[in-house]
């Protein structure tokens, strides 16, 4: 049987034909508030999984919803044509909580277009990733040149606690030659990228107690330490005067091949006028390949109604982003040792871990990576993609690397520097989304061509 020959013009026309329906289905997914965090209505996560399963069934995939003690994931499969490779397409259907609703300019679960961007929670992260996969399947119809396995996770934003179990339980049916993880972003609007490194993560809590109970600040202050002051002194030891992380034992590395213009990073991050960047070295090293440590929260009395009393206990949540090559267990041990050593005035720092995740480095060489770069360059009308690092973490990529060492892992995505994923007013650049859909379609065709050439 002769396989169809896919031309660039034909695939462009197919994507243009499918985009209106793809966008409509994306908006339908955005309307489902599938939040996997504790305390939220998880029936919406179930609805989200069912909606995704329906989309995949409509693409003639064999589909089932699976779980392993966590939220539902969706697996859809179509066998490869004889001699063709299989490509695993990953995305996730759960979303972050919306946070302070007053900061949103429109209902986070009612998609709205403004100035060429589609606003809504999950519009970029990562329901657009799902729909980029669906767009490619629809573009090919019955003439898909490769086998596909779609793995659409249901709790990525909540830490992917059950993902490794799911991957191991379904290892045989998801084994693939190429793995496309559509959960990252591009370098800029108009400039595509492959993500080749990601930082790891350690989240933990540190608590200090100085008193058995609160006491009068006037009667005892000056001799008796309060826990909040002790905690803030401890937290201040975590960075040096330049803002670099001052925890011995954490790996730090450089080597980024591109750099952020300072004005661009200031604008994209919303840095307030007059506030300086922290740390030393190239900006891309600081956010991609060196450790970063942030104080995410402190349990303390609110300022409104706070009594004149010494606080007996205080607790903070810390998040460390680990440089590629570091080990989360060793990093946590180093952080715990630092906190215990620097607790002031004879206090004891009680440190407990919340979760951790491995960093990763991807060797982005070989025919399938060449196929991806060629697909991106075509979809972006001649703009060559760049290799980037990401300061965030996708710990399960290391699991994919360990389970499928021969597979080419392509980390792609739909986000751009203005997407505001995880924040208020998350949005998707619709023009870039169209390019992403075309790029993935071209990628599948080029992967089939690369495999045929290698035989």
């Amino acid at each position: 049987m002769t396989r169809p020959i896919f031309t660039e013009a034909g695939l462009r026309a197919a994507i243009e034909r499918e985009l209106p329906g793809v966008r409509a289905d994306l908006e339908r997914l955005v309307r489902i508030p599938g939040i996997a965090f504790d305390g939220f209505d998880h029936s919406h996560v179930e609805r989200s999984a069912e909606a995704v399963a329906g989309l995949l069934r409509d693409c003639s995939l064999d589909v089932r919803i699976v779980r392993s003690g966590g939220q539902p994931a969706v697996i859809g499969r179509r066998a490869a044509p004889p001699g063709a490779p299989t490509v695993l397409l990953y995305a996730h259907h759960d979303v972050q909580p919306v946070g302070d609703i007053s900061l949103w300019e429109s209902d986070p679960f009612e998609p709205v277009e403004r100035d060429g961007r589609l606003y809504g929670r999950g519009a970029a992260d990562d329901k657009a990733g799902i729909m980029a996969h669906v767009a490619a399947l629809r573009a090919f119809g019955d003439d898909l040149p490769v086998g596909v396995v779609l793995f659409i996770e249901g709790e990525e934003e909540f830490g992917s606690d059950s993902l490794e179990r799911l991957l191991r339980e379904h290892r045989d049916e998801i084994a693939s030659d190429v793995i496309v993880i559509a959960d990252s972003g591009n370098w800029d609007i108009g400039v595509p990228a492959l993500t080749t490194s990601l930082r790891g993560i350690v989240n933990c809590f540190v608590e200090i107690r100085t008193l058995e109970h609160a006491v009068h600040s006037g009667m005892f202050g000056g001799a008796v330490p309060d826990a909040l002051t002790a905690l803030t002194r401890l937290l201040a030891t975590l960075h040096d005067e330049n803002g670099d992380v001052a925890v011995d034992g954490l790996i730090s590395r450089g080597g980024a091949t591109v750099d952020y213009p300072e004005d661009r990073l200031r604008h994209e991050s919303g840095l307030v006028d007059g506030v300086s960047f922290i740390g030393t070295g190239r900006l891309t090293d600081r956010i991609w390949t060196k450790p970063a440590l942030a104080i995410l929260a402190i349990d303390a009395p609110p300022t409104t109604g706070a009594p004149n009393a010494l606080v007996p206990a205080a607790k903070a949540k810390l998040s460390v982003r680990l440089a590629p090559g570091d080990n989360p267990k060793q990093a946590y041990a180093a952080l715990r040792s630092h906190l215990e050593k620097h607790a002031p005035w004879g206090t004891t720092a009680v440190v407990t871990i919340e979760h951790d995740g491995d960093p990763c480095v991807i060797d982005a060489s070989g025919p399938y990576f060449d196929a991806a770069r060629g697909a991106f360059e075509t979809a972006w009308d001649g703009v060559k993609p760049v290799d980037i690092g990401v300061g965030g973490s996708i710990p399960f990529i290391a699991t994919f690397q360990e389970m499928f060492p021969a597979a080419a892992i392509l980390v792609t995505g739909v986000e751009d520097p203005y997407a505001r994923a995880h924040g208020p007013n998350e949005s998707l650049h619709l023009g870039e989304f169209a390019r992403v859909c075309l790029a993935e379609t071209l990628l599948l065709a080029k992967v089939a061509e690369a495999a045929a050439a290698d035989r």
Side-chain angles (χ1 to χ4, degrees):
M1 179 177 178
T2 302
R3 291 185 194 162
I5 297 174
F6 301 103
T7 66
E8 176 190 332
L11 294 178
R12 282 185 184 273
I15 285 296
E16 289 177 5
R17 180 190 71 230
E18 298 297 339
L19 273 175
V22 167
R23 174 173 169 178
D25 286 326
L26 172 59
E27 292 185 3
R28 184 163 62 92
L29 290 181
V30 171
R31 292 188 179 98
I32 303 174
I35 302 170
F37 283 64
D38 292 338
F40 289 85
D41 184 353
H42 291 167
S43 69
H44 297 303
V45 185
E46 302 286 343
R47 287 176 53 215
S48 182
E50 292 288 353
V52 171
L55 291 170
L56 302 190
R57 290 189 187 101
D58 290 343
C59 293
S60 301
L61 272 63
D62 294 326
V63 179
R64 58 183 178 137
I65 296 174
V66 299
R67 69 182 73 228
S68 184
Q71 299 297 334
V74 184
I75 298 177
R77 301 180 72 250
R78 191 195 294 186
T86 296
V87 181
L88 187 152
L89 304 174
Y90 169 93
H92 63 87
H93 65 88
D94 67 308
V95 298
Q96 281 279 324
V98 300
D100 185 349
I101 192 67
S102 69
L103 299 177
W104 287 79
E105 295 179 16
S106 54
D107 185 336
F109 294 111
E110 182 53 48
V112 175
E113 181 180 348
R114 295 193 297 270
D115 300 321
R117 303 189 70 98
L118 185 67
Y119 286 80
R121 176 57 90 218
D125 184 16
D126 186 31
K127 291 177 177 180
I130 299 170
M131 293 312 303
H133 297 330
V134 171
L137 297 179
R138 290 178 179 176
F140 286 110
D142 293 333
D143 295 324
L144 195 63
V146 295
V148 293
V149 179
L150 274 80
F151 191 100
I152 312 299
E153 189 190 354
E155 57 182 20
E156 193 275 342
E157 300 292 10
F158 190 53
S160 298
D161 285 347
S162 69
L163 179 61
E164 184 171 345
R165 293 194 300 275
L166 282 170
L167 294 179
R168 296 192 185 281
E169 289 169 7
H170 301 279
R171 178 173 186 154
D172 291 344
E173 63 187 293
I174 66 175
S176 305
D177 303 286
V178 180
I179 299 171
V180 179
I181 297 175
D183 195 21
S184 186
N186 290 307
W187 176 237
D188 201 357
I189 295 172
V191 184
L194 275 176
T195 296
T196 58
S197 71
L198 297 102
R199 290 193 291 195
I201 189 170
V202 171
N203 275 14
C204 69
F205 303 95
V206 56
E207 184 170 9
I208 283 183
R209 174 173 289 276
T210 59
L211 297 161
E212 294 179 357
H213 50 78
V215 295
H216 195 294
S217 61
M219 297 291 290
F220 297 98
V224 175
D226 68 274
L228 264 179
T229 299
L231 179 63
T232 55
R233 285 181 66 89
L234 174 58
L235 298 179
T237 69
L238 294 171
H239 296 84
D240 65 19
E241 60 183 12
N242 295 315
D244 284 311
V245 177
V247 177
D248 291 337
L250 299 183
I251 288 176
S252 181
R253 56 190 292 178
T257 58
V258 295
D259 201 7
Y260 262 108
E262 289 193 9
D263 57 347
R264 175 181 158 187
L265 182 56
R266 180 176 291 275
H267 174 67
E268 291 172 2
S269 65
L271 194 64
V272 174
D273 288 346
V275 177
S276 301
F277 293 116
I278 61 172
T280 56
R282 301 178 71 173
L283 289 175
T284 41
D285 287 341
R286 293 184 225 179
I287 62 176
W288 294 350
T289 62
K290 297 178 69 174
L293 197 158
I295 301 164
L296 301 183
I298 294 179
D299 289 338
T303 56
T304 301
N308 284 322
L310 303 183
V311 175
K315 182 178 182 181
K317 181 177 180 178
L318 311 181
S319 181
V320 186
R321 299 289 179 164
L322 307 177
D326 209 342
N327 177 288
K329 303 298 188 262
Q330 294 174 4
Y332 172 64
L335 176 61
R336 183 179 61 195
S337 176
H338 177 100
L339 292 167
E340 292 172 347
K341 176 182 177 181
H342 289 85
W345 306 322
T347 59
T348 297
V350 178
V351 186
T352 54
I353 194 165
E354 182 186 44
H355 64 81
D356 64 17
D358 289 302
C360 79
V361 178
I362 297 170
D363 177 10
S365 61
Y368 293 138
F369 291 96
D370 294 340
R373 291 186 176 97
F376 288 0
E377 185 173 350
T378 299
W380 269 266
D381 299 322
V383 177
K384 292 183 180 296
V386 297
D387 289 356
I388 63 172
V390 169
S393 307
I394 309 180
F396 61 78
I397 294 179
T399 305
F400 277 112
Q401 289 177 313
E402 181 262 320
M403 290 180 62
F404 306 109
I409 299 179
L410 310 175
V411 183
T412 68
V414 301
E415 296 174 28
D416 63 81
Y418 308 97
R420 296 189 181 181
H422 292 206
N425 303 304
E426 177 183 346
S427 69
L428 172 72
H429 189 290
L430 291 168
E432 292 295 280
F433 178 59
R435 293 184 185 276
V436 168
C437 293
L438 175 59
E440 182 156 317
T441 307
L442 291 165
L443 169 62
L444 297 184
K446 288 180 180 294
V447 163
E449 292 171 2
D454 192 47
R455 288 200 299 273

